[in-house]
Short mmCIF file of all heavy atoms in Angstrom, two decimals:
data_model
loop_
_atom_site.label_atom_id
_atom_site.label_comp_id
_atom_site.label_asym_id
_atom_site.label_seq_id
_atom_site.Cartn_x
_atom_site.Cartn_y
_atom_site.Cartn_z
N ILE A 2 -124.61 -3.97 76.29
CA ILE A 2 -124.22 -2.57 76.27
C ILE A 2 -123.69 -2.27 74.89
O ILE A 2 -122.81 -2.98 74.38
CB ILE A 2 -123.16 -2.28 77.35
CG1 ILE A 2 -123.73 -2.63 78.74
CG2 ILE A 2 -122.69 -0.84 77.27
CD1 ILE A 2 -122.71 -2.63 79.83
N PHE A 3 -124.26 -1.25 74.27
CA PHE A 3 -123.90 -0.87 72.91
C PHE A 3 -123.23 0.50 72.92
O PHE A 3 -123.54 1.34 73.76
CB PHE A 3 -125.15 -0.81 72.03
CG PHE A 3 -125.86 -2.12 71.88
CD1 PHE A 3 -126.85 -2.50 72.77
CD2 PHE A 3 -125.52 -2.99 70.86
CE1 PHE A 3 -127.51 -3.72 72.64
CE2 PHE A 3 -126.17 -4.21 70.72
CZ PHE A 3 -127.16 -4.58 71.62
N ASP A 4 -122.36 0.73 71.93
CA ASP A 4 -121.80 2.07 71.77
C ASP A 4 -122.79 2.93 70.98
O ASP A 4 -123.90 2.49 70.66
CB ASP A 4 -120.41 2.03 71.14
CG ASP A 4 -120.38 1.57 69.68
OD1 ASP A 4 -121.46 1.46 69.04
OD2 ASP A 4 -119.28 1.32 69.18
N PHE A 5 -122.39 4.14 70.61
CA PHE A 5 -123.29 5.06 69.92
C PHE A 5 -123.64 4.59 68.50
O PHE A 5 -124.61 5.07 67.91
CB PHE A 5 -122.70 6.47 69.87
CG PHE A 5 -122.67 7.11 71.23
CD1 PHE A 5 -121.47 7.28 71.90
CD2 PHE A 5 -123.84 7.51 71.85
CE1 PHE A 5 -121.43 7.87 73.16
CE2 PHE A 5 -123.82 8.09 73.11
CZ PHE A 5 -122.61 8.27 73.76
N ASN A 6 -122.87 3.66 67.95
CA ASN A 6 -123.14 3.12 66.62
C ASN A 6 -123.87 1.79 66.68
O ASN A 6 -123.92 1.06 65.70
CB ASN A 6 -121.83 2.95 65.84
CG ASN A 6 -121.16 4.27 65.59
OD1 ASN A 6 -121.80 5.24 65.19
ND2 ASN A 6 -119.86 4.33 65.84
N GLU A 7 -124.42 1.46 67.85
CA GLU A 7 -125.13 0.20 68.11
C GLU A 7 -124.23 -1.02 67.97
O GLU A 7 -124.69 -2.12 67.70
CB GLU A 7 -126.38 0.06 67.23
CG GLU A 7 -127.46 1.05 67.60
CD GLU A 7 -128.79 0.75 66.94
OE1 GLU A 7 -128.88 -0.20 66.14
OE2 GLU A 7 -129.74 1.49 67.21
N LYS A 8 -122.93 -0.83 68.18
CA LYS A 8 -122.01 -1.96 68.21
C LYS A 8 -121.98 -2.50 69.64
O LYS A 8 -121.79 -1.74 70.59
CB LYS A 8 -120.61 -1.51 67.80
CG LYS A 8 -119.60 -2.64 67.86
CD LYS A 8 -118.21 -2.16 67.54
CE LYS A 8 -117.30 -3.38 67.62
NZ LYS A 8 -116.00 -3.10 68.11
N PRO A 9 -122.20 -3.82 69.81
CA PRO A 9 -122.17 -4.39 71.15
C PRO A 9 -120.74 -4.37 71.70
O PRO A 9 -119.81 -4.83 71.04
CB PRO A 9 -122.68 -5.81 70.95
CG PRO A 9 -122.44 -6.11 69.51
CD PRO A 9 -122.47 -4.81 68.77
N ILE A 10 -120.59 -3.81 72.90
CA ILE A 10 -119.25 -3.68 73.46
C ILE A 10 -119.06 -4.41 74.80
O ILE A 10 -117.94 -4.61 75.23
CB ILE A 10 -118.85 -2.20 73.61
CG1 ILE A 10 -119.86 -1.44 74.46
CG2 ILE A 10 -118.69 -1.55 72.24
CD1 ILE A 10 -119.46 -0.03 74.81
N ASP A 11 -120.15 -4.79 75.43
CA ASP A 11 -120.04 -5.50 76.71
C ASP A 11 -121.43 -5.99 77.11
O ASP A 11 -122.43 -5.66 76.46
CB ASP A 11 -119.50 -4.58 77.80
CG ASP A 11 -118.73 -5.33 78.90
OD1 ASP A 11 -118.88 -6.57 79.01
OD2 ASP A 11 -117.99 -4.68 79.64
#
Side-chain angles (χ1 to χ4, degrees):
I2 300 169
F3 297 90
D4 67 11
F5 290 108
N6 296 315
E7 292 191 357
K8 178 184 180 214
I10 57 172
D11 208 342

